[in-house]
Amino acid sequence: MSLSRTIHVSAPAKIHLLGEHAVVFNKPALMASVNLRCHVYLTATNNQNIEITSKNISANRRLTYSQIKTLSNDAQSKWNQYFKTNDINTLKLICTDESDYLAIIVGETFKFYNVSSLAKGFSLLVDSQIPFGGGLGSSASCAVAIAGAVSVFLGKPLQKEVINEIAYLAEQKKHGFPSGGDNSTVCFGGLVWFRKETPDWKIIQPLPFTIPSDLANKFILINTGKPTESTGEMVSLVRALKETDSAIVDSFLQGQEQLTRDLIGVVKNSNEKEFIRIIQNGEKNLESIGVVSEFVKPLIRDIESVGGAAKICGAGGKTKSTGIILAYSSKTSVVEKIAKKHNF
């Protein structure tokens, strides 16, 4: 490729309408891409180094192909250990520096295509509009965009199914046991029905309709701040609860699956009353497994008290912030006042 050519690939953020945590246990999720994007710019260089820069975490790192390969192999080894033990401390060792994840995505792309060496290096610039760690799929969007840009650099076709698989492998190193729903939604876009049947077989069904405007115009995303716990920690928390008190988690899974199935028709037909009921009940189910902190529950109860609904929109949090809250109300100005009252 020409040294002056810059490859630009971007991927959107996502929201969970419903299905977070349940989707990890092979239950369905209804998800949608939203209009915040992670932009990646890749430019070939006249040396063999790989320079990775992120505007969002103020990182700049220069690595050789060998260093990328070593980092990627080490990440896989630690993830294999985590897979066997569910020890969150092992998972934390994979990305000790925030820029590690960006390098691991590059490494997973090389590994997927069996790249054994590079004739030319490249510079990679990441510029994301998506808040990190808030439940909007920032890491998935980054993985899809980087995998896409590196694939084009390597002369490979930009196939969504392939890019999605690479992104999922990278996401494992970040979150441990991701469902694959986040990367699938940001990769394929639109409104997506997702279900992981087995580790190797996933149903990814982009739906032939979108959220009707009379519903979409009444959504508000409220940022409660970045959770203290990572997505991987919250997923491990629920996995541990499944082992110690399976009845609670089984009841949660059964309830969320039915609500998620009901939600498809409700969204398609723009049934506001049923939409509010489903989101309220979905939130109560999430609270039952301990992924909604006491810090944000008063905000959610206040929104419900004015006839609206609100729920966490990702892995949540146990101690304080839970990232993005997805709120719905015909009284959007009232919800904004409630959010401000709670200093969000």
Side-chain angles (χ1 to χ4, degrees), residues 15 17 30-33 185 188-193 205-212 264 267-268:
I15 56 169
L17 289 176
L30 186 60
M31 308 171 77
S33 57
T185 302
F188 289 92
L191 195 60
V192 174
W193 173 265
Q205 182 62 57
L207 298 179
F209 58 91
T210 188
I211 303 172
I264 292 183
V267 168
K268 184 177 182 181

Side-chain angles (χ1 to χ4, degrees), residues 98-152:
E98 287 188 88
S99 66
D100 286 343
Y101 181 59
L102 308 182
I104 287 169
I105 301 167
V106 175
E108 289 290 347
T109 311
F110 287 164
K111 195 188 306 181
F112 189 90
Y113 294 119
N114 295 314
V115 175
S116 57
S117 63
L118 287 180
K120 294 287 183 182
F122 56 83
S123 65
L124 193 71
L125 172 65
V126 179
D127 186 5
S128 181
Q129 304 166 334
I130 308 167
F132 280 23
L136 290 178
S138 59
S139 67
S141 181
C142 191
V144 167
I146 290 177
V150 175
S151 294
V152 174

Side-chain angles (χ1 to χ4, degrees), residues 144-218:
V144 167
I146 290 177
V150 175
S151 294
V152 174
F153 169 79
L154 295 172
K156 308 297 182 182
L158 199 62
Q159 296 176 318
K160 287 187 176 182
E161 292 80 7
V162 171
I163 300 304
N164 193 40
E165 181 60 26
I166 296 169
Y168 175 65
L169 293 170
E171 282 279 85
Q172 287 182 327
K173 313 311 182 294
K174 178 77 171 175
H175 302 305
F177 299 106
S179 66
D182 284 15
N183 49 273
S184 296
T185 302
V186 306
C187 188
F188 289 92
L191 195 60
V192 174
W193 173 265
F194 178 88
R195 181 168 182 150
K196 182 172 70 171
E197 298 295 331
T198 71
D200 299 317
W201 178 35
K202 305 174 185 71
I203 296 173
I204 305 166
Q205 182 62 57
L207 298 179
F209 58 91
T210 188
I211 303 172
S213 59
D214 55 344
L215 284 183
N217 292 337
K218 298 171 186 174

Side-chain angles (χ1 to χ4, degrees), residues 23-271:
V23 73
V24 176
F25 295 91
N26 302 356
K27 298 299 182 182
L30 186 60
M31 308 171 77
S33 57
V34 296
N35 62 340
L36 295 168
R37 300 188 79 86
C38 174
H39 296 269
V40 169
Y41 303 89
L42 186 154
T43 306
T45 59
N46 55 9
N47 58 59
Q48 294 180 307
N49 291 326
I50 297 158
E51 185 173 4
I52 302 173
T53 304
S54 170
K55 287 188 175 182
N56 306 92
I57 58 174
S58 300
N60 181 265
R61 197 166 176 182
R62 181 170 292 181
L63 299 160
T64 63
Y65 167 81
S66 243
Q67 288 172 321
I68 291 274
K69 183 179 179 180
T70 299
L71 187 65
S72 183
N73 288 341
D74 183 61
Q76 186 65 53
S77 176
K78 287 186 173 68
W79 184 85
N80 291 341
Q81 185 181 348
Y82 172 71
F83 180 81
K84 295 175 184 176
T85 64
N86 194 35
D87 180 0
I88 193 64
N89 291 316
T90 303
L91 182 66
K92 287 180 177 180
L93 290 173
I94 296 176
C95 296
T96 54
D97 185 280
E98 287 188 88
S99 66
D100 286 343
Y101 181 59
L102 308 182
I104 287 169
I105 301 167
V106 175
E108 289 290 347
T109 311
F110 287 164
K111 195 188 306 181
F112 189 90
Y113 294 119
N114 295 314
V115 175
S116 57
S117 63
L118 287 180
K120 294 287 183 182
F122 56 83
S123 65
L124 193 71
L125 172 65
V126 179
D127 186 5
S128 181
Q129 304 166 334
I130 308 167
F132 280 23
L136 290 178
S138 59
S139 67
S141 181
C142 191
V144 167
I146 290 177
V150 175
S151 294
V152 174
F153 169 79
L154 295 172
K156 308 297 182 182
L158 199 62
Q159 296 176 318
K160 287 187 176 182
E161 292 80 7
V162 171
I163 300 304
N164 193 40
E165 181 60 26
I166 296 169
Y168 175 65
L169 293 170
E171 282 279 85
Q172 287 182 327
K173 313 311 182 294
K174 178 77 171 175
H175 302 305
F177 299 106
S179 66
D182 284 15
N183 49 273
S184 296
T185 302
V186 306
C187 188
F188 289 92
L191 195 60
V192 174
W193 173 265
F194 178 88
R195 181 168 182 150
K196 182 172 70 171
E197 298 295 331
T198 71
D200 299 317
W201 178 35
K202 305 174 185 71
I203 296 173
I204 305 166
Q205 182 62 57
L207 298 179
F209 58 91
T210 188
I211 303 172
S213 59
D214 55 344
L215 284 183
N217 292 337
K218 298 171 186 174
F219 282 104
I220 296 176
L221 298 181
I222 301 170
N223 192 353
T224 69
K226 184 178 180 180
T228 303
E229 303 83 6
S230 68
T231 297
E233 287 177 274
M234 296 307 295
V235 170
S236 287
L237 180 150
V238 180
R239 281 171 60 89
L241 180 63
K242 181 86 164 66
E243 293 177 3
T244 58
D245 199 337
S246 60
I248 289 177
V249 177
D250 289 344
S251 175
F252 161 76
L253 294 174
Q254 183 178 357
Q256 292 302 76
E257 179 171 15
Q258 187 57 57
L259 289 172
T260 304
R261 291 185 181 281
D262 292 344
L263 190 56
I264 292 183
V266 166
V267 168
K268 184 177 182 181
N269 298 319
S270 196
N271 186 332

